[in-house]
Amino acid sequence: NMSKSMLLENYARMITDIASENLGEEIVLLDTGEISLFSEFSIIITGQTDRHLENLSQKIIREMKKNGKKIHHKEGSGKTGWILLDYFGLCVHILIGEKRDVYDLESLWGSAKEIVRIH
């Protein structure tokens, strides 16, 4: 019987794979359990255009649903340059490059353990 945390990590790793297969860049999966009240795992993905951001989010939502995990909440859009997908304990941030540089989430979560990084 898998713990909730292991199950979430499996989903998180699946999302990094989906993002990678769909040309997401600088994909980072962080264990934010120690430092965030909201999410055990956080994924940051850079997209190339607003349309690419939307496509990535749709692909992730669709594949996750196929695998039995419904999205809890989605915020933002391609137009805003930052899409947040919230899966209760697993947050996915899909950002356009300049927004990612501005918000620098990795520094914000500097003490988080890096699980996966795909360039």
Side-chain angles (χ1 to χ4, degrees):
N1 191 2
M2 248 198 260
S3 72
K4 181 170 167 274
S5 186
M6 275 173 67
L7 194 61
L8 267 183
E9 185 174 336
N10 284 353
Y11 277 122
R13 288 176 180 275
M14 192 177 96
I15 289 171
T16 61
D17 290 343
I18 296 164
S20 176
E21 285 156 17
N22 290 280
L23 305 179
E25 294 170 355
E26 296 298 327
I27 302 159
V28 183
L29 166 55
L30 299 171
D31 180 338
T32 41
E34 297 287 306
I35 57 171
S36 165
L37 295 170
F38 308 108
S39 54
E40 265 186 83
F41 299 102
S42 299
I43 301 170
I44 312 168
I45 304 159
T46 296
Q48 293 142 14
T49 61
D50 55 358
R51 193 179 204 156
H52 187 221
L53 262 59
E54 287 292 348
N55 286 346
L56 281 169
S57 74
Q58 291 311 322
K59 283 259 166 59
I60 290 166
I61 291 167
R62 204 162 42 236
E63 287 302 312
M64 287 287 275
K65 199 172 167 187
K66 253 189 233 167
N67 285 275
K69 191 89 169 143
K70 270 210 176 110
I71 188 159
H72 168 55
H73 180 66
K74 176 184 183 232
E75 254 180 70
S77 68
K79 294 262 182 285
T80 64
W82 183 348
I83 297 175
L84 165 67
L85 307 178
D86 176 7
Y87 282 97
F88 270 136
L90 168 56
C91 280
V92 186
H93 301 268
I94 311 169
L95 300 113
I96 206 92
E98 66 224 38
K99 282 269 198 303
R100 183 161 178 174
D101 294 342
V102 170
Y103 290 102
D104 196 7
L105 299 173
E106 277 119 313
S107 292
L108 192 66
W109 300 322
S111 56
K113 194 177 95 222
E114 198 174 287
I115 302 173
V116 177
R117 179 178 287 267
I118 307 167
H119 291 289

